Amino acid sequence: MNDAGAIIRSPLLGFCGGSLDRAAAFRSDQAWIAARRAEPTAKLVRLNGDKTRLAGNALYFETPVGDDAIFLGLDPEGHAIFAGESLAPIEEALDLRSLAIEGHLAAYDLATLAHARSLLHWHQRHRFCANCGHETEMKDGGYRRHCPRCAAEHFPRTDPVIIIIVRAGEEILMGRQASWSTGRYSALAGFMEPGETIEEAARREVLEEAGIRVGAMSYVASQPWPYPSSLMIGLIGEAINRDIVIDKTELEDARWFSRIEVAQMLDGRHPGALSVPPPMAIAHKILEAALI
Ligand SMILES: [Zn+2]
């Protein structure tokens, strides 16, 4: 448990390490969900977009749980955890990205928030049937929406994104977008498209954005990314050519970095003040893996 005032620094990537039992075998039973809502130990975490308030260094829970709340799962003590959207701004709310960077929350609490944020966002955007336009109904505690007119079933989506560090011998390719903070470089990334394998999507993105063809590649890790519901799939690839051709609509710059420079950027001591994403982000973990 969290001691008030203690800072818990997680070795995990941000938003990973969820501890809830999603109770997939039970949540389709509406009576079971109703009984969980009515339990005095049931708890509700409320978000306004990607913001929520904390109770010290733990989640701030509300009770009782309303009928429109989404069931997230059972915590390790067996208590039901629900999520609800606040239409009004929440006082003293903090955004998920800041919470992940600051590391004050336990990894499992941060994972619960990301889980809640992605599901709540999906419900907001899928109130009407994509097939016939009729209003849909929440089912399975919130893990499904059903159309009573055409019987279409709609399930929460997860959007896969490949994110890749490309190596050429002792050098490492990174790029930067114009909107990023000054000096920030990171792995190349992009959404997978229908009909692609992970490897095909990664090769396409790197070729499109930087003109580099990628041969062999390996998987490093994945990370839920609740903006609003991506799954980052982290890879390391080996370059076939070295001449960079930047797609200026995607990237402001892309270049090869030496291993020494990358190590300096990971440690926050690059002499030119260049930087990479913080340890909560998967790009940081892939870079560390690429240096091994
Ligand atoms: Zn329909």
Side-chain angles (χ1 to χ4, degrees), residues 150-194:
C150 77
E153 306 292 352
H154 304 280
F155 294 91
R157 55 184 297 163
T158 296
D159 301 318
V161 175
I162 60 87
I163 177 165
I164 181 167
I165 286 295
V166 179
R167 295 187 295 209
E170 293 294 301
E171 293 191 303
I172 287 172
L173 176 69
M174 288 192 284
R176 64 168 274 109
Q177 295 178 10
S179 62
W180 293 354
S181 57
T182 304
R184 168 62 53 86
Y185 281 79
S186 187
L188 303 187
F191 283 102
M192 291 185 62
E193 295 184 352

Side-chain angles (χ1 to χ4, degrees), residues 129 131-134 147 149-152 154:
C129 179
N131 186 47
C132 78
H134 196 274
C147 176
R149 179 193 280 167
C150 77
H154 304 280

